Amino acid sequence: MTGPEGEQTKAEEFEELRPLLFSIAYRILGSVSEAEDAVSETWLRYQATETQPTSVKAFLSAVVTRISIDVLRSARVRREQYVGPWFPEPLLTDPYQDPERSAELADSVSMAALLLLERLSPLERAVFVLREVFGFGFGEVATAVGRSEAACRQLAARARRHMDAGRPRFEADRRERDRLAARFFEALREGDVDNLRDLLAADVEMVGDGGGKAPQWARGISGAENVARVLTSMLPPMVRIEVSWQPQQVNGQPGAVFRDRDGKVLNTWALDISDGRIQAIRTVLNPDKLAHVGPVADAWAVLREATQARRSGD
C-alpha cells in the first residue's frame, strides 16, 4: 500500500530490503534463527523511528549490523562452551539475489568462509561483511559500526589478511565442483569405496556438529581411506531403515539433506571442494540448528534402529 503521493509505506520499504538485511545478519552471526530475530528487531526500531532517514537502505543496514554485533558478542561466550565442534546453522537458500555477484555471495556464505569469519572480532567481521561482501562505502560502514572511516579501513585490511590466509590455494570451478559432488553422491549411493576414495583429498576430514544433542557420527574422521570406509559401512543400514538423502546446495556449496522414513530432517552435509578433491565433509546434526529446515527427526532413535539393522544384516 502506498501513501497519498504514491510513496511507499514503511512496511513496503522494509520488505524490499528484508533479504539484504537477513543476508547481512546471517553472515555476521552464522545463525538463521538469530539473523531472523535481528531482522525482526530492526523492523521494530524502524517502526518506532519518527523521522524518515535520507537512505532507508543505509539506515536499516546500520541498525541490523549493530544488533548483530551485540548478539555476536554474547554468542561468542556460548560458542566457546559449546559441546564439540561448532558449525553455522545450515542455510539452504540465501534470499538476497544479485545475478552478477551470485558466485561471490555463495562463496561468502559457505561453511568454510563462515568458520574463517568466526576467527575475527565482531567488529572486524561486521566491517568485512559490509565492505567486502556487500560493497558498502567506508562512510556507510563507519556509520553502521560506530567507528571512524580510518578505523574501518584498518579493520577491513586486518580482516582481509585473516580471510586470505585461511582460504584454500586452489578454488574449484563451480561447474567442476558440482560434477564432482554428483559423482560423490552416486558413489555413496552405490557403496563404491574405491570411487569414494578417489574423490576425497588424502587429508580429508569428516566432522559433525551435534552440540551434545545428537549422535556424533562424524566427530572427527581423517584421511581418504578412513572416511570412505566409514561412509560405506554407515550408509547401508541407514538405507535399510529408509533413511534417504537429497543432493542440495547447503550454504551455497554442494551438499545434501538427510531425512528419516517420515521425511523428517536428520542432518545436513556440506562438501568443501577445492583442487579437484573433497577437502571436508561437514555435517550438522544438532536438532536446534535444523528446525528451520523442517520437522526434525529423532537422531538417537534412527541410530538405534540403524544399529539393529546392521547387526541383523551381518
Side-chain angles (χ1 to χ4, degrees), residues 140-163:
E140 295 172 305
V141 175
T143 300
V145 302
R147 293 292 188 276
S148 68
E149 286 191 39
C152 288
R153 290 179 188 278
Q154 290 181 335
L155 287 164
R158 195 156 58 234
R160 274 196 304 271
R161 285 197 299 272
H162 284 301
M163 295 297 287

PDB file of all heavy atoms in Angstrom, residues 140-163:
ATOM      1  N   GLU A 140      29.496   4.555   4.903  1.00  0.00           N
ATOM      2  CA  GLU A 140      28.339   3.789   5.392  1.00  0.00           C
ATOM      3  C   GLU A 140      28.768   2.770   6.433  1.00  0.00           C
ATOM      4  O   GLU A 140      28.072   2.559   7.443  1.00  0.00           O
ATOM      5  CB  GLU A 140      27.656   3.088   4.223  1.00  0.00           C
ATOM      6  CG  GLU A 140      27.029   4.016   3.209  1.00  0.00           C
ATOM      7  CD  GLU A 140      26.535   3.266   1.984  1.00  0.00           C
ATOM      8  OE1 GLU A 140      27.335   2.537   1.362  1.00  0.00           O
ATOM      9  OE2 GLU A 140      25.335   3.406   1.660  1.00  0.00           O
ATOM     10  N   VAL A 141      29.904   2.115   6.196  1.00  0.00           N
ATOM     11  CA  VAL A 141      30.406   1.121   7.157  1.00  0.00           C
ATOM     12  C   VAL A 141      30.710   1.793   8.493  1.00  0.00           C
ATOM     13  O   VAL A 141      30.354   1.273   9.565  1.00  0.00           O
ATOM     14  CB  VAL A 141      31.662   0.417   6.605  1.00  0.00           C
ATOM     15  CG1 VAL A 141      32.252  -0.521   7.656  1.00  0.00           C
ATOM     16  CG2 VAL A 141      31.338  -0.349   5.327  1.00  0.00           C
ATOM     17  N   ALA A 142      31.356   2.954   8.437  1.00  0.00           N
ATOM     18  CA  ALA A 142      31.714   3.678   9.660  1.00  0.00           C
ATOM     19  C   ALA A 142      30.473   4.037  10.466  1.00  0.00           C
ATOM     20  O   ALA A 142      30.439   3.887  11.701  1.00  0.00           O
ATOM     21  CB  ALA A 142      32.503   4.938   9.299  1.00  0.00           C
ATOM     22  N   THR A 143      29.434   4.503   9.775  1.00  0.00           N
ATOM     23  CA  THR A 143      28.175   4.838  10.460  1.00  0.00           C
ATOM     24  C   THR A 143      27.555   3.596  11.089  1.00  0.00           C
ATOM     25  O   THR A 143      27.050   3.641  12.213  1.00  0.00           O
ATOM     26  CB  THR A 143      27.184   5.469   9.462  1.00  0.00           C
ATOM     27  OG1 THR A 143      27.760   6.666   8.927  1.00  0.00           O
ATOM     28  CG2 THR A 143      25.863   5.804  10.138  1.00  0.00           C
ATOM     29  N   ALA A 144      27.603   2.487  10.355  1.00  0.00           N
ATOM     30  CA  ALA A 144      26.965   1.258  10.831  1.00  0.00           C
ATOM     31  C   ALA A 144      27.612   0.724  12.097  1.00  0.00           C
ATOM     32  O   ALA A 144      26.922   0.253  13.004  1.00  0.00           O
ATOM     33  CB  ALA A 144      26.988   0.197   9.734  1.00  0.00           C
ATOM     34  N   VAL A 145      28.948   0.765  12.167  1.00  0.00           N
ATOM     35  CA  VAL A 145      29.644   0.153  13.310  1.00  0.00           C
ATOM     36  C   VAL A 145      30.076   1.170  14.363  1.00  0.00           C
ATOM     37  O   VAL A 145      30.644   0.793  15.396  1.00  0.00           O
ATOM     38  CB  VAL A 145      30.856  -0.677  12.853  1.00  0.00           C
ATOM     39  CG1 VAL A 145      30.423  -1.761  11.871  1.00  0.00           C
ATOM     40  CG2 VAL A 145      31.936   0.210  12.244  1.00  0.00           C
ATOM     41  N   GLY A 146      29.835   2.464  14.096  1.00  0.00           N
ATOM     42  CA  GLY A 146      30.173   3.490  15.085  1.00  0.00           C
ATOM     43  C   GLY A 146      31.656   3.717  15.259  1.00  0.00           C
ATOM     44  O   GLY A 146      32.126   3.980  16.370  1.00  0.00           O
ATOM     45  N   ARG A 147      32.416   3.608  14.169  1.00  0.00           N
ATOM     46  CA  ARG A 147      33.845   3.872  14.198  1.00  0.00           C
ATOM     47  C   ARG A 147      34.196   4.854  13.076  1.00  0.00           C
ATOM     48  O   ARG A 147      33.403   5.082  12.162  1.00  0.00           O
ATOM     49  CB  ARG A 147      34.652   2.573  14.002  1.00  0.00           C
ATOM     50  CG  ARG A 147      34.518   1.574  15.144  1.00  0.00           C
ATOM     51  CD  ARG A 147      35.165   2.081  16.427  1.00  0.00           C
ATOM     52  NE  ARG A 147      35.210   1.061  17.467  1.00  0.00           N
ATOM     53  CZ  ARG A 147      34.221   0.787  18.296  1.00  0.00           C
ATOM     54  NH1 ARG A 147      33.081   1.465  18.209  1.00  0.00           N
ATOM     55  NH2 ARG A 147      34.351  -0.135  19.238  1.00  0.00           N
ATOM     56  N   SER A 148      35.388   5.428  13.119  1.00  0.00           N
ATOM     57  CA  SER A 148      35.799   6.352  12.068  1.00  0.00           C
ATOM     58  C   SER A 148      36.081   5.578  10.775  1.00  0.00           C
ATOM     59  O   SER A 148      36.311   4.360  10.807  1.00  0.00           O
ATOM     60  CB  SER A 148      37.059   7.114  12.486  1.00  0.00           C
ATOM     61  OG  SER A 148      38.170   6.227  12.563  1.00  0.00           O
ATOM     62  N   GLU A 149      36.091   6.306   9.659  1.00  0.00           N
ATOM     63  CA  GLU A 149      36.412   5.659   8.389  1.00  0.00           C
ATOM     64  C   GLU A 149      37.821   5.079   8.420  1.00  0.00           C
ATOM     65  O   GLU A 149      38.064   3.987   7.915  1.00  0.00           O
ATOM     66  CB  GLU A 149      36.276   6.649   7.232  1.00  0.00           C
ATOM     67  CG  GLU A 149      34.832   6.979   6.875  1.00  0.00           C
ATOM     68  CD  GLU A 149      34.723   7.746   5.569  1.00  0.00           C
ATOM     69  OE1 GLU A 149      35.484   7.423   4.625  1.00  0.00           O
ATOM     70  OE2 GLU A 149      33.886   8.670   5.488  1.00  0.00           O
ATOM     71  N   ALA A 150      38.755   5.821   9.014  1.00  0.00           N
ATOM     72  CA  ALA A 150      40.136   5.334   9.089  1.00  0.00           C
ATOM     73  C   ALA A 150      40.210   4.026   9.870  1.00  0.00           C
ATOM     74  O   ALA A 150      40.903   3.079   9.482  1.00  0.00           O
ATOM     75  CB  ALA A 150      41.031   6.389   9.731  1.00  0.00           C
ATOM     76  N   ALA A 151      39.483   3.974  10.984  1.00  0.00           N
ATOM     77  CA  ALA A 151      39.469   2.754  11.800  1.00  0.00           C
ATOM     78  C   ALA A 151      38.858   1.597  11.020  1.00  0.00           C
ATOM     79  O   ALA A 151      39.338   0.457  11.099  1.00  0.00           O
ATOM     80  CB  ALA A 151      38.692   2.989  13.088  1.00  0.00           C
ATOM     81  N   CYS A 152      37.811   1.897  10.249  1.00  0.00           N
ATOM     82  CA  CYS A 152      37.158   0.852   9.463  1.00  0.00           C
ATOM     83  C   CYS A 152      38.066   0.323   8.363  1.00  0.00           C
ATOM     84  O   CYS A 152      38.048  -0.866   8.046  1.00  0.00           O
ATOM     85  CB  CYS A 152      35.848   1.372   8.873  1.00  0.00           C
ATOM     86  SG  CYS A 152      34.545   1.585  10.114  1.00  0.00           S
ATOM     87  N   ARG A 153      38.865   1.212   7.777  1.00  0.00           N
ATOM     88  CA  ARG A 153      39.822   0.765   6.768  1.00  0.00           C
ATOM     89  C   ARG A 153      40.845  -0.196   7.380  1.00  0.00           C
ATOM     90  O   ARG A 153      41.222  -1.196   6.766  1.00  0.00           O
ATOM     91  CB  ARG A 153      40.531   1.964   6.132  1.00  0.00           C
ATOM     92  CG  ARG A 153      39.632   2.797   5.232  1.00  0.00           C
ATOM     93  CD  ARG A 153      40.365   3.996   4.647  1.00  0.00           C
ATOM     94  NE  ARG A 153      39.444   4.871   3.950  1.00  0.00           N
ATOM     95  CZ  ARG A 153      39.008   4.699   2.710  1.00  0.00           C
ATOM     96  NH1 ARG A 153      39.451   3.661   2.014  1.00  0.00           N
ATOM     97  NH2 ARG A 153      38.180   5.548   2.149  1.00  0.00           N
ATOM     98  N   GLN A 154      41.284   0.112   8.595  1.00  0.00           N
ATOM     99  CA  GLN A 154      42.226  -0.772   9.277  1.00  0.00           C
ATOM    100  C   GLN A 154      41.573  -2.108   9.622  1.00  0.00           C
ATOM    101  O   GLN A 154      42.182  -3.170   9.459  1.00  0.00           O
ATOM    102  CB  GLN A 154      42.745  -0.099  10.543  1.00  0.00           C
ATOM    103  CG  GLN A 154      43.666   1.085  10.276  1.00  0.00           C
ATOM    104  CD  GLN A 154      44.174   1.714  11.568  1.00  0.00           C
ATOM    105  OE1 GLN A 154      43.537   1.599  12.618  1.00  0.00           O
ATOM    106  NE2 GLN A 154      45.323   2.374  11.493  1.00  0.00           N
ATOM    107  N   LEU A 155      40.327  -2.054  10.108  1.00  0.00           N
ATOM    108  CA  LEU A 155      39.606  -3.276  10.441  1.00  0.00           C
ATOM    109  C   LEU A 155      39.411  -4.145   9.203  1.00  0.00           C
ATOM    110  O   LEU A 155      39.584  -5.363   9.241  1.00  0.00           O
ATOM    111  CB  LEU A 155      38.241  -2.940  11.059  1.00  0.00           C
ATOM    112  CG  LEU A 155      38.258  -2.386  12.480  1.00  0.00           C
ATOM    113  CD1 LEU A 155      36.915  -1.744  12.828  1.00  0.00           C
ATOM    114  CD2 LEU A 155      38.578  -3.492  13.485  1.00  0.00           C
ATOM    115  N   ALA A 156      39.067  -3.501   8.077  1.00  0.00           N
ATOM    116  CA  ALA A 156      38.847  -4.238   6.828  1.00  0.00           C
ATOM    117  C   ALA A 156      40.144  -4.886   6.347  1.00  0.00           C
ATOM    118  O   ALA A 156      40.148  -6.052   5.916  1.00  0.00           O
ATOM    119  CB  ALA A 156      38.283  -3.312   5.759  1.00  0.00           C
ATOM    120  N   ALA A 157      41.238  -4.159   6.422  1.00  0.00           N
ATOM    121  CA  ALA A 157      42.529  -4.690   5.975  1.00  0.00           C
ATOM    122  C   ALA A 157      42.945  -5.881   6.828  1.00  0.00           C
ATOM    123  O   ALA A 157      43.425  -6.906   6.312  1.00  0.00           O
ATOM    124  CB  ALA A 157      43.587  -3.594   6.029  1.00  0.00           C
ATOM    125  N   ARG A 158      42.748  -5.759   8.139  1.00  0.00           N
ATOM    126  CA  ARG A 158      43.109  -6.856   9.051  1.00  0.00           C
ATOM    127  C   ARG A 158      42.236  -8.088   8.772  1.00  0.00           C
ATOM    128  O   ARG A 158      42.736  -9.219   8.749  1.00  0.00           O
ATOM    129  CB  ARG A 158      42.948  -6.382  10.498  1.00  0.00           C
ATOM    130  CG  ARG A 158      43.632  -7.290  11.511  1.00  0.00           C
ATOM    131  CD  ARG A 158      43.967  -6.550  12.782  1.00  0.00           C
ATOM    132  NE  ARG A 158      42.801  -5.968  13.426  1.00  0.00           N
ATOM    133  CZ  ARG A 158      42.690  -4.691  13.771  1.00  0.00           C
ATOM    134  NH1 ARG A 158      43.667  -3.838  13.515  1.00  0.00           N
ATOM    135  NH2 ARG A 158      41.596  -4.230  14.358  1.00  0.00           N
ATOM    136  N   ALA A 159      40.950  -7.846   8.568  1.00  0.00           N
ATOM    137  CA  ALA A 159      40.031  -8.957   8.297  1.00  0.00           C
ATOM    138  C   ALA A 159      40.376  -9.651   6.985  1.00  0.00           C
ATOM    139  O   ALA A 159      40.369 -10.887   6.904  1.00  0.00           O
ATOM    140  CB  ALA A 159      38.588  -8.442   8.259  1.00  0.00           C
ATOM    141  N   ARG A 160      40.704  -8.863   5.955  1.00  0.00           N
ATOM    142  CA  ARG A 160      41.079  -9.447   4.665  1.00  0.00           C
ATOM    143  C   ARG A 160      42.309 -10.332   4.801  1.00  0.00           C
ATOM    144  O   ARG A 160      42.375 -11.416   4.204  1.00  0.00           O
ATOM    145  CB  ARG A 160      41.340  -8.354   3.628  1.00  0.00           C
ATOM    146  CG  ARG A 160      40.111  -7.860   2.904  1.00  0.00           C
ATOM    147  CD  ARG A 160      40.501  -7.089   1.657  1.00  0.00           C
ATOM    148  NE  ARG A 160      41.397  -5.976   1.942  1.00  0.00           N
ATOM    149  CZ  ARG A 160      41.006  -4.743   2.255  1.00  0.00           C
ATOM    150  NH1 ARG A 160      39.709  -4.479   2.345  1.00  0.00           N
ATOM    151  NH2 ARG A 160      41.874  -3.798   2.494  1.00  0.00           N
ATOM    152  N   ARG A 161      43.293  -9.880   5.571  1.00  0.00           N
ATOM    153  CA  ARG A 161      44.507 -10.684   5.757  1.00  0.00           C
ATOM    154  C   ARG A 161      44.173 -12.030   6.391  1.00  0.00           C
ATOM    155  O   ARG A 161      44.674 -13.072   5.974  1.00  0.00           O
ATOM    156  CB  ARG A 161      45.529  -9.921   6.615  1.00  0.00           C
ATOM    157  CG  ARG A 161      46.247  -8.799   5.883  1.00  0.00           C
ATOM    158  CD  ARG A 161      47.499  -8.369   6.621  1.00  0.00           C
ATOM    159  NE  ARG A 161      47.214  -7.864   7.963  1.00  0.00           N
ATOM    160  CZ  ARG A 161      46.920  -6.594   8.239  1.00  0.00           C
ATOM    161  NH1 ARG A 161      46.850  -5.701   7.265  1.00  0.00           N
ATOM    162  NH2 ARG A 161      46.681  -6.209   9.487  1.00  0.00           N
ATOM    163  N   HIS A 162      43.342 -12.002   7.431  1.00  0.00           N
ATOM    164  CA  HIS A 162      42.958 -13.242   8.109  1.00  0.00           C
ATOM    165  C   HIS A 162      42.200 -14.168   7.153  1.00  0.00           C
ATOM    166  O   HIS A 162      42.453 -15.378   7.114  1.00  0.00           O
ATOM    167  CB  HIS A 162      42.080 -12.943   9.325  1.00  0.00           C
ATOM    168  CG  HIS A 162      42.835 -12.422  10.504  1.00  0.00           C
ATOM    169  ND1 HIS A 162      43.854 -13.126  11.110  1.00  0.00           N
ATOM    170  CD2 HIS A 162      42.716 -11.269  11.204  1.00  0.00           C
ATOM    171  CE1 HIS A 162      44.331 -12.434  12.133  1.00  0.00           C
ATOM    172  NE2 HIS A 162      43.659 -11.299  12.204  1.00  0.00           N
ATOM    173  N   MET A 163      41.264 -13.598   6.387  1.00  0.00           N
ATOM    174  CA  MET A 163      40.458 -14.408   5.482  1.00  0.00           C
ATOM    175  C   MET A 163      41.311 -14.989   4.351  1.00  0.00           C
ATOM    176  O   MET A 163      41.192 -16.169   4.010  1.00  0.00           O
ATOM    177  CB  MET A 163      39.313 -13.574   4.909  1.00  0.00           C
ATOM    178  CG  MET A 163      38.291 -13.102   5.941  1.00  0.00           C
ATOM    179  SD  MET A 163      37.403 -14.458   6.752  1.00  0.00           S
ATOM    180  CE  MET A 163      36.321 -14.979   5.414  1.00  0.00           C
TER     181      MET A 163
END
